[in-house]
């Protein structure tokens, strides 16, 4: 059972991060070597060259997310920074208009942590409930609006259970009430078409490492006319909105990865969906007492598989998977390093007991059928093995404990 | 994150499964918190002749259960009563801070089985009343408060 070093790694944790594409590395290299100037130092050629490149990269990103103007693109250090900036920056700049923010219970911690911080600084936050598929309805958003509401933030796609939210409809509600709307599209890029103009959003966050770009670079789209305070004060970069000498190599990596993700989206989506469904159907055929977390229809991200396995715990499953060279993630308390299971699973009504036994597999365009079949062959043995040593499974077999899920 | 010993006991757990001729059984923890440990013992003439476990929980929960059974196997009931979570941790070359509670649970599970033995046989082991009342909900609450500091 020991992990054999020659063993192939099957990476199925693409909602956590993705591998960087060689073309992306290649696109970044010139900015780490020849074009090393400071894009703000425009009185000599070295800097001018960097500035000219930055303009081109910004235009490319604008085009690929459907922004009308390149000056609506603001590069950041991460998805977390983009989310923090959107929420704090908008809240502080508009606090005279009101102090109420609406978001959901299933947001990434980048949003939830920011909102909790704002609650300590005089803002009120409504965390909307979701249904069992993780959906937030436009009606629920509208019902939560008060005279004090200034900002609504709902993620475009959930990182744990893959729910795709009705962003366009929610943006319409926000517009009708003249409230700013932000969406965290970090998991959407490369998996769902993202066009800020068509969606009608005021702000949108992305992060390069989720679509085969480098880590440590993100972007916040801020529609012209949206008032927002700085998160990072200092120099005049990003039109005075975000100080810090631009990370040109990172930005070039983001721009290139986005370009590839957008051009290949149809082909990639079709492939990922095939791999996802092969996993979902295969697991259902092979393992009893499980529950698929998240939507079962077209509202599910093309790359996300999240099941709860009754009577076993997620971290133990992850460790057994690792012994077989398979990388995945879990919403169990132990795996997250916290003491409660995933807030997303609890929000969709999964009881603690089976939230602890959840495993997420997330595929990419590089995932092969062989890899999926290897997981399908391995996973039942792992679950059977852990159930054989589970006192809960023993109690269930002796009729002393009920199953939450029905035998499939 | 885990020591080699922990990994070894996770990958090759010792004494795992139900002991059919057990005469003492203890169970602690609850599913809501994510760990349940059940210990089976066959005690004869005050000696733990055989011991096994079943555990629902993370890697550390499985490894600490496995190690705890190893530490009490062949020991007298009195010796087993002296088992502490610290001893389990030391035998495993340590645990990450977030997993220390697993070793506490392992200690409690051993004590719970001994309590069951004491109740069934009427042999007074001088066990405190609260021995298997590991309150995981309040433990989690205090850990969360600790983390917030
Ligand atoms: C939905 C969502 N938002 C934000 C982030 C944070 O992005 P980053 O890792 O670039 O800070 C992530 C990634 O973990 C995410 O999945």
């Amino acid at each position: 059972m020991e992990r054999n070093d020659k063993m192939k790694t099957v990476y199925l944790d693409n909602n956590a991060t993705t591998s960087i594409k060689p073309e992306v590395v290649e696109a970044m290299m010139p900015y780490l070597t020849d074009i090393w100037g400071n894009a703000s130092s425009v009185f000599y050629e070295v800097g001018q060259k960097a500035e000219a490149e930055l303009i081109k990269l910004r235009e490319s990103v604008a085009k690929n997310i459907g922004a009308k103007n390149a000056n609506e693109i603001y590069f950041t250090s991460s998805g977390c920074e983009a989310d923090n900036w959107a929420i704090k920056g908008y809240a502080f700049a508009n606090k005279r208009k009101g102090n109420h923010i609406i978001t959901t219970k299933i947001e990434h911690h980048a949003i939830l942590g920011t909102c909790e911080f704002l609650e300590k600084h005089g803002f009120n936050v409504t965390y909307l409930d979701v249904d069992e598929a993780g959906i937030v309805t436009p009606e629920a958003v509208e019902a939560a609006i008060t005279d004090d509401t200034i900002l609504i933030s709902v993620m475009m796609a959930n990182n744990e259970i893959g729910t795709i939210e009705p962003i366009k409809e929610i943006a319409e509600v926000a517009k009708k009430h003249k409230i700013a709307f932000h969406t965290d599209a970090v998991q959407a890029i490369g998996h769902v078409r993202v066009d800020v103009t068509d969606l009608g959003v005021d702000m949108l966050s992305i992060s390069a490492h989720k679509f085969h770009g480098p880590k440590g670079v993100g972007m916040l789209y801020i529609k012209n006319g949206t008032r927002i305070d700085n998160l990072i004060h200092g120099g005049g970069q990003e039109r005075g909105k975000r100080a810090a000498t631009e990370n040109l190599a990172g930005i070039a990596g983001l721009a290139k990865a986005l370009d590839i993700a957008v051009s290949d989206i149809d082909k990639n989506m079709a492939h990922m969906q095939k791999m996802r469904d092969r996993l979902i159907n295969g697991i259902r055929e092979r393992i009893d007492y499980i529950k698929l977390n998240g939507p079962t229809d077209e509202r599910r991200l093309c790359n996300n598989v999240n099941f709860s396995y009754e009577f076993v715990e997620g971290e133990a499953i992850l460790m057994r998977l690792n012994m077989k060279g398979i990388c995945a993630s879990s919403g169990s308390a132990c795996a997250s390093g916290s003491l409660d299971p995933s807030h997303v699973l609890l929000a969709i009504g999964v009881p603690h007991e089976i939230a602890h036994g959840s495993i997420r597999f997330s595929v990419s365009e590089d995932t092969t059928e062989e890899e999926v079949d290897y997981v399908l062959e391995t996973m039942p043995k792992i679950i059977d093995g852990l159930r054989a040593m589970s006192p809960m499974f023993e109690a269930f077999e002796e009729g002393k404990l009920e199953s939450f899920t029905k035998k499939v | 994150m885990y020591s080699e010993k922990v990994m070894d006991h996770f990958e090759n757990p010792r004494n795992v499964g139900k002991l059919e001729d057990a005469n003492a059984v203890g169970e602690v923890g609850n599913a809501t918190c994510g760990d349940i440990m059940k210990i089976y013992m066959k005690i004869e003439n005050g000696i733990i002749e055989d011991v096994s476990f079943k555990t629902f929980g993370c890697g550390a929960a499985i490894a600490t259960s496995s190690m705890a059974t190893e530490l009490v196997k062949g020991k007298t009931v009195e010796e087993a009563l002296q088992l502490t979570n610290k001893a389990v941790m030391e035998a495993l070359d340590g645990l990450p801070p977030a997993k220390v509670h697993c070793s506490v649970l392992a200690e409690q599970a051993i004590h719970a089985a001994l309590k069951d033995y004491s109740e069934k046989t009427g042999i007074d082991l001088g066990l405190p009343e609260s021995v298997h009342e590991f309150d995981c909900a309040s433990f989690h609450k205090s850990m969360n408060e600790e983390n917030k500091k």
Side-chain angles (χ1 to χ4, degrees), chain A residues 15-16 78-81 83 108 110 155 157 159 184 186-187 207 209-210:
Chain A
N15 287 145
S78 61
C80 278
E81 188 196 325
D83 284 346
H108 189 267
M155 72 198 320
N159 45 303
D184 173 340
V186 167
Q187 293 289 342
S207 174
H209 75 96
K210 305 284 184 178

Side-chain angles (χ1 to χ4, degrees), chain B residues 4-133:
Chain B
E4 268 178 41
K5 280 241 176 83
V6 173
M7 288 309 292
D8 178 37
H9 278 262
F10 172 73
E11 291 180 8
N12 312 293
R14 327 291 200 262
N15 314 312
V16 66
K18 183 177 179 176
L19 203 61
E20 291 301 339
D21 55 352
N23 57 5
V25 180
E27 184 174 314
V28 293
N30 73 58
T32 308
C33 292
D35 318 276
I36 302 178
M37 288 183 193
K38 191 168 183 179
I39 299 280
Y40 304 83
M41 286 181 182
K42 188 182 167 200
I43 304 174
E44 261 163 47
N45 305 320
I47 292 173
I48 301 168
E49 295 286 350
D50 206 354
V51 54
S52 73
F53 79 94
K54 278 200 172 183
T55 288
F56 161 81
C58 64
I62 291 170
T64 52
S65 315
S66 167
M67 182 53 90
T69 58
E70 284 286 272
L71 292 174
V72 300
K73 202 175 194 172
K75 297 279 161 64
T76 64
V77 167
E78 288 74 20
E79 283 167 331
L81 269 175
Q82 304 305 311
L83 181 78
T84 62
N85 81 299
K86 243 181 111 214
V88 174
M89 270 180 46
E90 273 163 19
L92 287 168
D93 292 339
L95 283 173
K99 303 291 187 178
V100 172
H101 74 280
C102 293
S103 66
V104 176
L105 214 56
E107 173 197 309
Q108 308 265 357
I110 295 290
H111 288 184
L114 294 172
K115 182 159 190 254
D116 184 49
Y117 172 74
S118 148
E119 279 167 5
K120 276 183 186 152
T121 57
I123 300 170
D124 184 8
L125 296 173
L127 279 161
E129 207 34 56
S130 66
V131 64
H132 62 277
E133 298 303 317

Side-chain angles (χ1 to χ4, degrees), chain B residues 125-143:
Chain B
L125 296 173
L127 279 161
E129 207 34 56
S130 66
V131 64
H132 62 277
E133 298 303 317
F134 181 77
D135 181 356
C136 114
S138 72
F139 173 76
H140 277 196
K141 214 168 133 223
S142 70
M143 283 288 281

